[in-house]
Amino acid sequence: MSLDEHTSDSAPLFSDDSEAEGPNGPDAQQHPEEEASGVSRVRAVLIVLTLCYINLLNYMDRFTVAGVLPDIEQYFGIDDGNSGLLQTVFICSYMFLAPFFGYLGDRYNRKYIMSAGILFWSSVTLASSYTPKEHFWALLLTRGLVGVGEASYSTIAPTIIADLYIKEKRTNMLSLFYFAIPVGRSVSCRHTLRLSVTPGLGLVAVVLLLFVVQEPKRGAVEARSDMHQTSWLTDLRELSRNCSFILSTLGFTAVAFVTGSLALWAPTFLYRAAVFTGQKPPCVDEAQCSSSDSLIFGIITVITGLLGVASGVQVSRQLRKKTARADPLVCAAGLLLSAPFLYLAIVCAQTSTVATYIFIFLGETFLSMNWAIVADILLYVVVPTRRSTAEALQIVVSHLLGDAGSPSLIGVFSDSLRKTDSFLWQFRSLQISLLLCSFVAVVGGAFFLFTALFIEKDRNRAEKYIPSGEVHLKRDFTDEPIVVPKSGRSAHVSVSSVLI
């Protein structure tokens, strides 16, 4: 067996070997990235667009509850604490299953894993639409099961983009991918959309995955196709030593905490503020619960998300010309700048609705600067064969300490502060609870500042990584290294052609 031959221990159907054409394929002579990944330029763009479409569905479903929370509370007769459980149950299921799918994503065919997960997710979403008002527990159960399907997608999709593009192109494609977050959150503000459309769109996503997405060669676009998988425990040990990964994950946890809290509670908070100031009638029946605040907040989320992601990438691109620490510095600036504006939005709600929306707009714009950049940081400080596992760990930590508990925490805190059930205390207790978001944003900014201290070292280490079970030999006529795996497999090398 030749030295550069890649072998797989996986079954053929779920092999980690790519479906891409080899370097002698018809498109291989045109572009270096095509030759490396085995995927044509047009096909690569179609793959990214397909993944963006599915990511849009992902966030449409994830934040459906937020836009209609007053309706749900009225329909099921639940308080703020139980309302927060809807998001918490989903996030807990999502994050606990992420490591399992991360393990599979680093070792088996990724598009089949995503297809199975999305099919399950669509089925459960459809079932959750028919929950009777007497069975709130059934809604909680189905929301938890939706997390199973989403975990299979979110841990894997960014790694496919990483295997198609490098450097600036990768950053641009990740920006496009994460544009789906604000757009999906906005579209989700109408519950009827989920009832009639989302499951069908999920089936379309499965078809696109099976017939459009092509598995690229792992790490080949970065000239790392000679790498092989290590054990899962080895992966975890190495990731735990990666300071940039750990610190940026903690910083992103703060983003998740604030985003999760605002996604669920901001429309309800704005509605209660309008009731408190006398601008709107109280929620007496289901029809009156459907206010315009959800729609307005959704529109703000779309615009700020697009502006934030695009501006964050652009600022980072310009700052990279001056410092290699640009990415974590931009993330830190985004969180630190969002904190005062979110604080002003919360405290001004009782006096000026216009000022509140302006401050929310600015705060969410700065908060959204992080999404694509954090994903890019993970991909360039972690070696290709560990990226799905790293994505899974980031999901677990950021959701466990972030938006898994933040909606319930805000809800429980609000209930505990409420002295009476008057409109005044419904508004005031939630207002005080949401101030926690500004404090968490500052803490997250500090974590990104610490990330900047290690980013250069960890990036260089990932680019020059050689598995510990490998040795280097040098040909006496080329001086180029050959990597020989010490994994029990035979590798025949002529003594006369190698100089150790």
Side-chain angles (χ1 to χ4, degrees):
M1 183 174 69
S2 65
L3 292 176
D4 55 306
E5 214 172 357
H6 178 72
T7 62
S8 173
D9 298 326
S10 308
L13 179 60
F14 298 107
S15 172
D16 66 342
D17 294 337
S18 76
E19 304 166 311
E21 297 177 354
N24 295 323
D27 297 320
Q29 303 300 321
Q30 297 178 6
H31 302 278
E33 288 181 2
E34 290 183 35
E35 182 175 350
S37 67
V39 179
S40 69
R41 293 180 67 190
V42 174
R43 188 67 170 268
V45 171
L46 291 175
I47 290 173
V48 172
L49 291 177
T50 298
L51 296 178
C52 290
Y53 164 73
I54 301 172
N55 206 32
L56 175 64
L57 294 183
N58 180 359
Y59 282 91
M60 281 171 54
D61 187 79
R62 185 178 301 187
F63 293 106
T64 295
V65 171
V68 290
L69 195 57
D71 297 296
I72 292 176
E73 289 186 332
Q74 185 72 15
Y75 181 76
F76 288 100
I78 56 177
D79 57 17
D80 288 349
N82 284 325
S83 298
L85 280 176
L86 287 169
Q87 192 74 352
T88 299
V89 167
F90 160 77
I91 292 297
C92 287
S93 169
Y94 172 59
M95 70 179 182
F96 284 127
L97 286 165
F100 171 71
F101 287 108
Y103 175 86
L104 296 179
D106 277 334
R107 289 160 177 80
Y108 302 101
N109 190 296
R110 290 171 283 191
K111 83 172 186 179
Y112 294 133
I113 298 171
M114 291 190 294
S115 298
I118 293 170
L119 184 62
F120 179 80
W121 154 30
S122 301
S123 302
V124 175
T125 299
L126 180 63
S128 69
S129 302
Y130 299 97
T131 307
K133 65 171 63 178
E134 298 83 10
H135 301 292
F136 177 68
W137 63 267
L139 183 62
L140 287 176
L141 176 62
T142 54
R143 285 302 294 169
L145 292 176
V146 166
V148 177
E150 293 202 21
S152 69
Y153 177 77
S154 297
T155 57
I156 295 174
T159 69
I160 293 181
I161 296 176
D163 287 334
L164 293 172
Y165 298 98
I166 56 174
K167 298 182 180 179
E168 297 296 333
K169 290 184 179 179
R170 176 191 289 172
T171 302
N172 292 336
M173 292 301 176
L174 286 173
S175 300
L176 181 63
F177 181 76
Y178 286 105
F179 278 151
I181 296 176
V183 176
R185 285 173 59 186
S186 172
V187 174
S188 69
C189 68
R190 285 293 175 263
H191 189 57
T192 52
L193 178 66
R194 178 183 167 202
L195 286 170
S196 58
V197 177
T198 304
L201 295 178
L203 294 178
V204 173
V206 173
V207 173
L208 290 174
L209 275 174
L210 293 175
F211 293 98
V212 175
V213 174
Q214 182 177 326
E215 181 84 1
K217 299 176 182 177
R218 297 176 196 264
V221 75
E222 300 167 275
R224 309 295 295 277
S225 58
D226 55 351
M227 300 183 66
H228 59 270
Q229 278 88 19
T230 52
S231 70
W232 192 59
L233 291 178
T234 299
D235 292 347
L236 294 179
R237 183 176 65 250
E238 292 301 318
L239 289 172
S240 68
R241 297 172 179 172
N242 190 322
C243 294
S244 295
F245 169 71
I246 296 297
L247 290 170
S248 64
T249 296
L250 292 175
F252 187 66
T253 299
V255 178
F257 185 100
V258 177
T259 301
S261 299
L262 293 178
L264 188 70
W265 290 113
T268 301
F269 173 70
L270 293 170
Y271 175 78
R272 291 182 183 180
V275 172
F276 171 71
T277 57
Q279 299 177 29
K280 293 185 179 179
C283 181
V284 178
D285 55 46
E286 240 180 285
Q288 290 182 325
C289 288
S290 299
S291 69
S292 60
D293 296 298
S294 296
L295 180 60
I296 296 174
F297 183 74
I299 294 172
I300 290 176
T301 300
V302 170
I303 298 174
T304 58
L306 296 176
L307 286 176
V309 172
S311 61
V313 169
Q314 187 61 32
V315 171
S316 177
R317 180 180 292 120
Q318 295 300 318
L319 194 58
R320 284 175 187 172
K321 299 175 182 178
K322 299 181 179 180
T323 174
R325 300 174 177 178
D327 287 349
L329 291 177
V330 172
C331 290
L335 275 169
L336 294 175
L337 288 171
S338 71
F341 289 115
L342 293 176
Y343 174 82
L344 290 172
I346 294 168
V347 298
C348 289
Q350 65 198 49
T351 57
S352 174
T353 302
V354 174
T356 298
Y357 280 122
I358 291 174
F359 290 134
I360 286 177
F361 184 92
L362 294 172
E364 289 244 316
T365 298
F366 286 118
L367 189 66
S368 299
M369 292 176 67
N370 292 273
W371 292 102
I373 301 176
V374 170
D376 207 13
I377 289 174
L378 183 149
L379 293 172
Y380 65 64
V381 300
V382 176
V383 296
T385 53
R386 294 182 182 136
R387 283 174 179 162
S388 289
T389 298
E391 290 279 357
L393 288 179
Q394 189 170 86
I395 286 173
V396 170
V397 174
S398 63
H399 291 307
L400 179 64
L401 302 178
D403 56 355
S406 65
S408 288
L409 180 63
I410 297 296
V412 171
F413 194 25
S414 174
D415 287 339
S416 66
L417 292 173
R418 190 182 306 171
K419 296 182 180 180
T420 66
D421 203 32
S422 65
F423 298 129
L424 168 64
W425 279 105
Q426 285 181 2
F427 163 71
R428 188 71 73 193
S429 61
L430 186 56
Q431 181 186 43
I432 296 172
S433 301
L434 286 173
L435 290 175
L436 183 61
C437 293
S438 294
F439 172 76
V440 173
V442 173
V443 174
F447 278 123
F448 279 118
L449 289 177
F450 282 115
T451 304
L453 300 177
F454 301 95
I455 195 73
E456 292 179 86
K457 180 190 71 174
D458 290 331
R459 182 171 190 166
N460 290 333
R461 186 171 62 178
E463 291 175 349
K464 299 174 182 179
Y465 170 78
I466 301 170
S468 59
E470 299 179 346
V471 297
H472 279 275
L473 304 177
K474 290 187 177 180
R475 295 184 189 273
D476 57 356
F477 54 85
T478 64
D479 198 39
E480 293 183 357
I482 308 172
V483 180
V484 183
K486 287 185 176 179
S487 56
R489 301 188 180 100
S490 61
H492 303 288
V493 183
S494 172
V495 176
S496 62
S497 65
V498 176
L499 178 63
I500 301 179

